[in-house]
Amino acid sequence: MNGLEMTSGISVPLVDFAPIQATPASIAFTDTDASPGELGGLITLGRASDEAEVTGYAVYWGSGVGSSTTTYYGLVGEVPKGSGAVEILVAPNTVKPVGATHFLGFTTASDGRGANYVAVQITDVDELLVPGGLSFQDTDAIAMQIGGTVTIQRAASSSGVSAYNLYLSSGACTAVGSAIANIPVSPGGGPTCFEGSSCAMITILQETAGQWVISRGMDGYENHEHAIIQVEGPGLVHFTRFETERSYDILRVGSASFSGTTVPADVELGAGRQEIEWVSDFSVTMRGWALSFQSYSTFGDISYSLPSTAFDGTVNSMIVFSVANGAEYTASCAATAVADFAPPNQSPQNLWFEDTNPSSGRVAGTVTILQARSHSGVSEYRVYWGQNSSTILPGSSVVLVVPATTAGTNLTVSLNETVLPTNATHLLAYSASSQGESVSGVSAEVIDYHPAQEGPQGLNFTDEDESAGYVSGTAYGIRAQDESTIEEYKLYFSSGQTKISFIGSAPSTSILPRPTCSGITCSHITINEVAGAFQVSRGSYDNEEFANMAITGPGRLRFTLFITEENYDFLTVMGTPYSGSGQPSGPPEEIYIPEGTHEITWRSDYSVTMSGWVFLYESASTSSLNIPVPRSAIPAGATDLLIVSSSSGGEMAQGATTPLVDYNPPQVVPESVECVDSDNSIGYLQGTCTVERASDESNVIAYEVFFGNVTGAPWVALGSLGRLAVTGLTGTSAVVTIPRVAVRPGASHLVAVAVGAGGIAARGASTALVDNIGLTLSPQSLDELGTPNSLHNVSIQLSNAASAATTLSIELIMEDASAESGDASTNSGTSGASSLSSSSLPAACLDASHAGSSSKHRLIYKMKGVTKGSGTARRLREAHARKLESTHGAKVKNLHIGQLSFAETKNRSVQSYCRLYAELRNDPMVEFVEEDCLAVCHVSRADVA
């Protein structure tokens, strides 16, 4: 065998090791597992620039990056080349190999991994050391500078964090430049057991940020335990397990103490330092307890006032790292976006808005913005809801964004129908740009327009002021049929439906004021609104109840139930007590409540109770309403009065109108008037009135004649009897033709008045109304004085121009009873005579010896139809008295007692006195006349009526 080889042997493939040179472009990893010592998340690799020989990618644990002795600790994972993102998963709770400091990324090929790698340092994130949050809003109005309040939410860790470092950042926890602030803090703390021999046995574990589990005894506790645990409120204690010796082994939470085997309800702890104390006694132990404490606080948010700091375009955020155990923890950060607040220094000048949507709770209309005087730095206007005239409604987003147009001009935009947010009272407008909004804005109050739904049915008005250009009086309206949505009616000067100025208002009477209640029983008395009325009830009641209720009229009280202890338990309505269950002691079915506020009192005694009472209180208003119109100058353009219904949500757009007629009649009075009746029919007039024209006819266009009375006031409501225009008239008089017309009852005069464009004068010249009945007497009356047993012959001539038969009554007043009285009735053109009883004559008129003497005599009489308090009757009595005084020289006094009058003659002949008596007795307007004297007279008199 020396020098010789075997002809066969063992072979292996010959592989030429030549690793590819392609390398991943990048590698990145962020730990998403919050537990210390454990990793989880995605490793992201950037694809190699040349993947011609690449079949996949792989990641290894490693250390010694950048040195000649790189150490590998095993494969993390590999994936085929594929397409799209290259990601390798690190499963949650993955434990990092001891010594590994980096992830190493390779390309792979058919002959192994590539020659080179990319590396990323492994950073194990401890979430408890990461700040809980960061907020900041720039309040520095200078461009390229920021400043304001920074708020940092503490890290959840209860120990180790001593400060927070604040940086400007370009994103992804990447700091730009050095820290802009270092904010030291006192280490915070969660619950701690700070006193007691058993603190070592109490378990306190933090589950999440702000939440801890505190427990004693998974397998039971011991005797003589004591521990005091301190927590920082406010917060919530929630029990998950509880079993202690009842009444002896006690857990005190705040001011509440618990023992036994029932799991206690949650306990709310107030702000500040709170205590949980555990005590067990000398015997009997059980399984123990467990609870969780959830803090309501923000873990002691830290506020820091950042001074003005330079800010450039490379910065878009602010980040904060915690400083823990003497080193800055940069594995993770809290971040917030930063926008340079450099708002326009020009604000809008004004804002207007009127809701035109009639639905309650919804608004729509035109928003008008008076733009800023200058648009330097202004690109748009933003409109928000406001909770008042200066504060944006919390949680409100921008309502409208309107591009700016021309500075100093009005900018209008439509607000589409939208819900009016709760507590929104205004719209607020600010000028704005990409760098913020103006510090101040303008506001417009938002009044939700939801007007009354039904309008008044009519309106009337008559001006009572006689001055040109002024009106006064009372406007009379007719209420809406349904007033359920109406609070009041408003009266305006207007031109048609266009309002000009407000005059006054009248309340809606269907909206009753809600009854009120005071007293110890009010909490048991129910007051409910039912279809515009109020149902007030007290059901089965108790002893010794008392309540005092107030209601406002006018209204009606209708009882639907009334059962009380009769004569002991009373409901007193406006001073009238009711009890029992029916009449006569109980209330009627309906009680009218007059205008004003009235009292209803309920009182029960010390024993016996019943079913109680229920009543419905509803309005008793009428359909009419009155609104006084004070003396007012008529506004320019006003042609009407307008009345509209109104509510707190606005007025109706349309209402009822009446023409506005300015009553400004002539102030002159004709000199006199004389009228002649040419109609012989009784009760009818026809003829002419001759009016002596006024010396000054300024503003007079005509003269008219009316029925009236002695006061000279025309009865305009009865219509004109005749009219004559002054145009073309010559001379001092005007003759007004009166067509045939019936004499109106009560009319005693005809009145001629001046008429102008502004109406009919309130006063005129008057003349007694004389109805020509077609009879002529000659003489019309005579007086004859005779002596006993003497004979006198007198002739009276009667002419009748009418065709109808006429009755002639003759009354003879004799000195004694020797003549008989009677009536003679004949046809027209004949005459008759009768004697008259002297039994009713005054004594002075029956004694001939006093015929020529003079003395003082008095008569008492009463006129027919005189009613106390009637203005017309008073004026009639005064006119009648003036006639007696003028004709007979009598002194007349009208008394208010019994509506009587005295007519007295003094230093006048007995004959004059007797003639006065005769006239009163024959006067159809006099009810009775009686003598009030003792003088004697003798007179013979004939009167024809």
Side-chain angles (χ1 to χ4, degrees), residues 428-445:
L428 307 179
Y430 300 85
S431 55
S433 69
S434 60
Q435 293 181 296
E437 299 172 352
S438 58
V439 176
S440 61
V442 290
S443 67
E445 185 176 5

PDB file of all heavy atoms in Angstrom, residues 428-445:
ATOM      1  N   LEU A 428     -70.413  85.240  17.001  1.00  0.00           N
ATOM      2  CA  LEU A 428     -69.179  85.999  17.155  1.00  0.00           C
ATOM      3  C   LEU A 428     -68.388  85.906  15.852  1.00  0.00           C
ATOM      4  O   LEU A 428     -68.263  84.822  15.275  1.00  0.00           O
ATOM      5  CB  LEU A 428     -68.336  85.457  18.310  1.00  0.00           C
ATOM      6  CG  LEU A 428     -69.028  85.320  19.673  1.00  0.00           C
ATOM      7  CD1 LEU A 428     -68.052  84.733  20.691  1.00  0.00           C
ATOM      8  CD2 LEU A 428     -69.547  86.651  20.150  1.00  0.00           C
ATOM      9  N   ALA A 429     -67.836  87.026  15.389  1.00  0.00           N
ATOM     10  CA  ALA A 429     -67.054  87.038  14.148  1.00  0.00           C
ATOM     11  C   ALA A 429     -65.655  87.570  14.428  1.00  0.00           C
ATOM     12  O   ALA A 429     -65.490  88.554  15.164  1.00  0.00           O
ATOM     13  CB  ALA A 429     -67.743  87.892  13.086  1.00  0.00           C
ATOM     14  N   TYR A 430     -64.635  86.915  13.848  1.00  0.00           N
ATOM     15  CA  TYR A 430     -63.233  87.287  14.008  1.00  0.00           C
ATOM     16  C   TYR A 430     -62.589  87.360  12.629  1.00  0.00           C
ATOM     17  O   TYR A 430     -62.919  86.575  11.735  1.00  0.00           O
ATOM     18  CB  TYR A 430     -62.480  86.265  14.862  1.00  0.00           C
ATOM     19  CG  TYR A 430     -63.021  86.097  16.256  1.00  0.00           C
ATOM     20  CD1 TYR A 430     -64.074  85.223  16.511  1.00  0.00           C
ATOM     21  CD2 TYR A 430     -62.495  86.823  17.321  1.00  0.00           C
ATOM     22  CE1 TYR A 430     -64.584  85.065  17.794  1.00  0.00           C
ATOM     23  CE2 TYR A 430     -62.994  86.668  18.607  1.00  0.00           C
ATOM     24  CZ  TYR A 430     -64.044  85.795  18.841  1.00  0.00           C
ATOM     25  OH  TYR A 430     -64.539  85.659  20.102  1.00  0.00           O
ATOM     26  N   SER A 431     -61.656  88.284  12.478  1.00  0.00           N
ATOM     27  CA  SER A 431     -60.819  88.263  11.284  1.00  0.00           C
ATOM     28  C   SER A 431     -59.747  87.200  11.487  1.00  0.00           C
ATOM     29  O   SER A 431     -59.332  86.931  12.615  1.00  0.00           O
ATOM     30  CB  SER A 431     -60.206  89.638  11.025  1.00  0.00           C
ATOM     31  OG  SER A 431     -59.502  90.097  12.168  1.00  0.00           O
ATOM     32  N   ALA A 432     -59.277  86.591  10.389  1.00  0.00           N
ATOM     33  CA  ALA A 432     -58.390  85.436  10.536  1.00  0.00           C
ATOM     34  C   ALA A 432     -57.442  85.329   9.349  1.00  0.00           C
ATOM     35  O   ALA A 432     -57.651  85.914   8.285  1.00  0.00           O
ATOM     36  CB  ALA A 432     -59.212  84.154  10.675  1.00  0.00           C
ATOM     37  N   SER A 433     -56.379  84.563   9.596  1.00  0.00           N
ATOM     38  CA  SER A 433     -55.422  84.182   8.559  1.00  0.00           C
ATOM     39  C   SER A 433     -54.924  82.801   8.914  1.00  0.00           C
ATOM     40  O   SER A 433     -55.377  82.191   9.881  1.00  0.00           O
ATOM     41  CB  SER A 433     -54.262  85.189   8.505  1.00  0.00           C
ATOM     42  OG  SER A 433     -53.468  85.086   9.678  1.00  0.00           O
ATOM     43  N   SER A 434     -53.950  82.303   8.163  1.00  0.00           N
ATOM     44  CA  SER A 434     -53.404  80.983   8.454  1.00  0.00           C
ATOM     45  C   SER A 434     -52.667  80.953   9.779  1.00  0.00           C
ATOM     46  O   SER A 434     -52.398  79.884  10.318  1.00  0.00           O
ATOM     47  CB  SER A 434     -52.460  80.555   7.325  1.00  0.00           C
ATOM     48  OG  SER A 434     -51.391  81.501   7.203  1.00  0.00           O
ATOM     49  N   GLN A 435     -52.344  82.123  10.320  1.00  0.00           N
ATOM     50  CA  GLN A 435     -51.591  82.188  11.575  1.00  0.00           C
ATOM     51  C   GLN A 435     -52.455  82.546  12.775  1.00  0.00           C
ATOM     52  O   GLN A 435     -51.942  82.863  13.836  1.00  0.00           O
ATOM     53  CB  GLN A 435     -50.449  83.207  11.438  1.00  0.00           C
ATOM     54  CG  GLN A 435     -49.378  82.763  10.449  1.00  0.00           C
ATOM     55  CD  GLN A 435     -48.259  83.757  10.358  1.00  0.00           C
ATOM     56  OE1 GLN A 435     -48.456  84.891   9.945  1.00  0.00           O
ATOM     57  NE2 GLN A 435     -47.062  83.330  10.750  1.00  0.00           N
ATOM     58  N   GLY A 436     -53.777  82.490  12.614  1.00  0.00           N
ATOM     59  CA  GLY A 436     -54.631  82.695  13.770  1.00  0.00           C
ATOM     60  C   GLY A 436     -55.763  83.670  13.512  1.00  0.00           C
ATOM     61  O   GLY A 436     -55.955  84.166  12.403  1.00  0.00           O
ATOM     62  N   GLU A 437     -56.507  83.912  14.589  1.00  0.00           N
ATOM     63  CA  GLU A 437     -57.657  84.794  14.544  1.00  0.00           C
ATOM     64  C   GLU A 437     -57.384  86.036  15.379  1.00  0.00           C
ATOM     65  O   GLU A 437     -56.578  86.000  16.321  1.00  0.00           O
ATOM     66  CB  GLU A 437     -58.899  84.088  15.088  1.00  0.00           C
ATOM     67  CG  GLU A 437     -59.298  82.855  14.301  1.00  0.00           C
ATOM     68  CD  GLU A 437     -60.407  82.081  14.991  1.00  0.00           C
ATOM     69  OE1 GLU A 437     -60.740  82.432  16.145  1.00  0.00           O
ATOM     70  OE2 GLU A 437     -60.931  81.122  14.390  1.00  0.00           O
ATOM     71  N   SER A 438     -58.060  87.112  15.071  1.00  0.00           N
ATOM     72  CA  SER A 438     -57.919  88.344  15.839  1.00  0.00           C
ATOM     73  C   SER A 438     -58.291  88.093  17.300  1.00  0.00           C
ATOM     74  O   SER A 438     -59.143  87.252  17.605  1.00  0.00           O
ATOM     75  CB  SER A 438     -58.796  89.443  15.257  1.00  0.00           C
ATOM     76  OG  SER A 438     -60.155  89.041  15.228  1.00  0.00           O
ATOM     77  N   VAL A 439     -57.605  88.799  18.179  1.00  0.00           N
ATOM     78  CA  VAL A 439     -57.843  88.604  19.614  1.00  0.00           C
ATOM     79  C   VAL A 439     -59.263  88.992  19.972  1.00  0.00           C
ATOM     80  O   VAL A 439     -59.927  88.330  20.766  1.00  0.00           O
ATOM     81  CB  VAL A 439     -56.825  89.432  20.434  1.00  0.00           C
ATOM     82  CG1 VAL A 439     -57.121  89.331  21.918  1.00  0.00           C
ATOM     83  CG2 VAL A 439     -55.406  88.953  20.134  1.00  0.00           C
ATOM     84  N   SER A 440     -59.756  90.074  19.414  1.00  0.00           N
ATOM     85  CA  SER A 440     -61.112  90.518  19.703  1.00  0.00           C
ATOM     86  C   SER A 440     -61.979  90.346  18.472  1.00  0.00           C
ATOM     87  O   SER A 440     -61.487  90.289  17.342  1.00  0.00           O
ATOM     88  CB  SER A 440     -61.119  91.983  20.146  1.00  0.00           C
ATOM     89  OG  SER A 440     -60.614  92.808  19.125  1.00  0.00           O
ATOM     90  N   GLY A 441     -63.272  90.239  18.702  1.00  0.00           N
ATOM     91  CA  GLY A 441     -64.221  90.078  17.606  1.00  0.00           C
ATOM     92  C   GLY A 441     -65.430  90.966  17.814  1.00  0.00           C
ATOM     93  O   GLY A 441     -65.422  91.875  18.642  1.00  0.00           O
ATOM     94  N   VAL A 442     -66.454  90.722  17.055  1.00  0.00           N
ATOM     95  CA  VAL A 442     -67.718  91.448  17.187  1.00  0.00           C
ATOM     96  C   VAL A 442     -68.823  90.417  17.360  1.00  0.00           C
ATOM     97  O   VAL A 442     -68.654  89.241  17.041  1.00  0.00           O
ATOM     98  CB  VAL A 442     -67.987  92.342  15.961  1.00  0.00           C
ATOM     99  CG1 VAL A 442     -67.029  93.516  15.928  1.00  0.00           C
ATOM    100  CG2 VAL A 442     -67.894  91.545  14.660  1.00  0.00           C
ATOM    101  N   SER A 443     -69.954  90.872  17.883  1.00  0.00           N
ATOM    102  CA  SER A 443     -71.023  89.932  18.197  1.00  0.00           C
ATOM    103  C   SER A 443     -72.371  90.454  17.720  1.00  0.00           C
ATOM    104  O   SER A 443     -72.566  91.658  17.544  1.00  0.00           O
ATOM    105  CB  SER A 443     -71.082  89.682  19.712  1.00  0.00           C
ATOM    106  OG  SER A 443     -71.494  90.857  20.394  1.00  0.00           O
ATOM    107  N   ALA A 444     -73.291  89.526  17.538  1.00  0.00           N
ATOM    108  CA  ALA A 444     -74.693  89.832  17.246  1.00  0.00           C
ATOM    109  C   ALA A 444     -75.539  88.876  18.065  1.00  0.00           C
ATOM    110  O   ALA A 444     -75.323  87.664  18.055  1.00  0.00           O
ATOM    111  CB  ALA A 444     -74.996  89.667  15.756  1.00  0.00           C
ATOM    112  N   GLU A 445     -76.483  89.436  18.815  1.00  0.00           N
ATOM    113  CA  GLU A 445     -77.356  88.586  19.617  1.00  0.00           C
ATOM    114  C   GLU A 445     -78.250  87.757  18.703  1.00  0.00           C
ATOM    115  O   GLU A 445     -78.770  88.247  17.706  1.00  0.00           O
ATOM    116  CB  GLU A 445     -78.212  89.419  20.556  1.00  0.00           C
ATOM    117  CG  GLU A 445     -79.052  88.584  21.514  1.00  0.00           C
ATOM    118  CD  GLU A 445     -79.824  89.420  22.505  1.00  0.00           C
ATOM    119  OE1 GLU A 445     -79.778  90.661  22.395  1.00  0.00           O
ATOM    120  OE2 GLU A 445     -80.481  88.844  23.386  1.00  0.00           O
TER     121      GLU A 445
END
